[in-house]
Amino acid sequence: MTWDWNAVGDFMPYFRQGLLVTVQVLALGSLLSFTLGLVWTLLMRVPSRWVRWPVGVVTEFVRNTPLLVQLFFLFYVLPEWGLTFSALATGVFAIGLHYSTYTMQVYRAGIEAVPVGQWEAATALNLPRRRTWTAVILPQAIRRVVPALGNYVISMLKDTPLLMVITVLEMLGRARLFSQQHFQFTEPLTVIGVAFVLISYLASLLLRALERRLVR
């Protein structure tokens, strides 16, 4: 078996298309998971059990079912109920929803790590509850959980190939398509493997830089 550089060159247009889709899914999925995770966390702190109980049931169900099953359900079952979305939108929503149930736990830990004195100080200053959360509690909590959130970004990246099952051709999907059309597997799969390593490494560097900046 020999390495064919011509095959690598032929694969590059496929790779660029797949990379664009992968980056879109990762960026939008991360944004959705971080936002939803914070929403779930705040809702679980509402005094009313009529709010906490449904949120707890939904998040436990999502967290304890495979992402692959959720992708199939959202893409193939919801249309039977009249809810139809594009494959890309479905993939972003599925990944964002799935990982929001994990980031929810990260936020919870960060909030609980804020010293009790901070709450007491906000109460002593007679700060409104919303102001207490936005100016005192959440800035400190989020600063503490950036490394853990970063780990989930990398996990989301590694789960993007699952979107092939709902026809989203991200990097691995494009490599598979190229291999089927040209009967060459080594070069495209090697390029994809290296790309995943590089993207994960760059993401980790960016997250470390962000962490250092927030710690100042």
Side-chain angles (χ1 to χ4, degrees):
M1 182 182 67
T2 59
W3 181 265
D4 188 352
W5 286 105
N6 291 328
V8 175
D10 293 338
F11 174 61
M12 282 299 104
Y14 291 77
F15 172 73
R16 285 191 291 269
Q17 293 171 345
L19 178 62
L20 177 61
V21 173
T22 297
V23 171
Q24 287 178 327
V25 171
L26 182 61
L28 296 175
S30 298
L31 180 61
L32 182 60
S33 71
F34 294 162
T35 304
L36 269 181
L38 183 58
V39 171
W40 300 143
T41 303
L42 296 178
L43 288 177
M44 287 297 290
R45 297 183 68 89
V46 172
S48 174
R49 65 178 181 177
W50 298 107
V51 174
R52 297 197 312 271
W53 185 81
V55 171
V57 170
V58 170
T59 54
E60 283 296 321
F61 177 80
V62 172
R63 183 166 56 248
N64 291 289
T65 53
L67 176 57
L68 189 60
V69 173
Q70 294 166 18
L71 284 167
F72 274 113
F73 182 86
L74 292 172
F75 192 68
Y76 295 107
V77 177
L78 286 187
E80 297 183 5
W81 298 350
L83 298 173
T84 303
F85 303 96
S86 69
L88 183 61
T90 301
V92 168
F93 179 73
I95 284 184
L97 175 64
H98 184 80
Y99 277 94
S100 71
T101 60
Y102 293 97
T103 59
M104 163 190 174
Q105 299 300 326
V106 173
Y107 285 124
R108 180 187 59 78
I111 290 171
E112 292 179 353
V114 175
V116 176
Q118 297 295 311
W119 295 90
E120 295 173 346
T123 302
L125 292 171
N126 199 29
L127 292 179
R129 188 166 182 81
R130 178 178 297 181
R131 180 68 174 168
T132 298
W133 277 102
T134 58
V136 179
I137 305 303
L138 288 181
Q140 295 183 62
I142 292 174
R143 188 178 298 118
R144 297 169 186 268
V145 301
V146 166
L149 292 177
N151 291 335
Y152 285 118
V153 172
I154 295 174
S155 295
M156 277 185 269
L157 170 66
K158 292 187 288 187
D159 274 347
T160 54
L162 292 176
L163 271 59
M164 279 194 298
V165 301
I166 59 171
T167 72
V168 175
L169 295 181
E170 39 61 68
M171 288 194 295
L172 185 59
R174 290 290 175 180
R176 182 169 176 265
L177 178 63
F178 177 86
S179 298
Q180 291 174 340
Q181 293 177 345
H182 297 80
F183 303 101
Q184 292 174 302
F185 295 88
T186 302
E187 291 81 6
L189 292 177
T190 301
V191 170
I192 293 304
V194 172
F196 271 107
V197 171
L198 290 177
I199 294 173
S200 298
Y201 181 67
L202 290 174
S204 66
L205 291 180
L206 290 174
L207 290 165
R208 288 174 193 169
L210 177 61
E211 181 184 1
R212 289 194 296 269
R213 185 177 181 85
L214 290 175
V215 168
R216 291 178 183 175

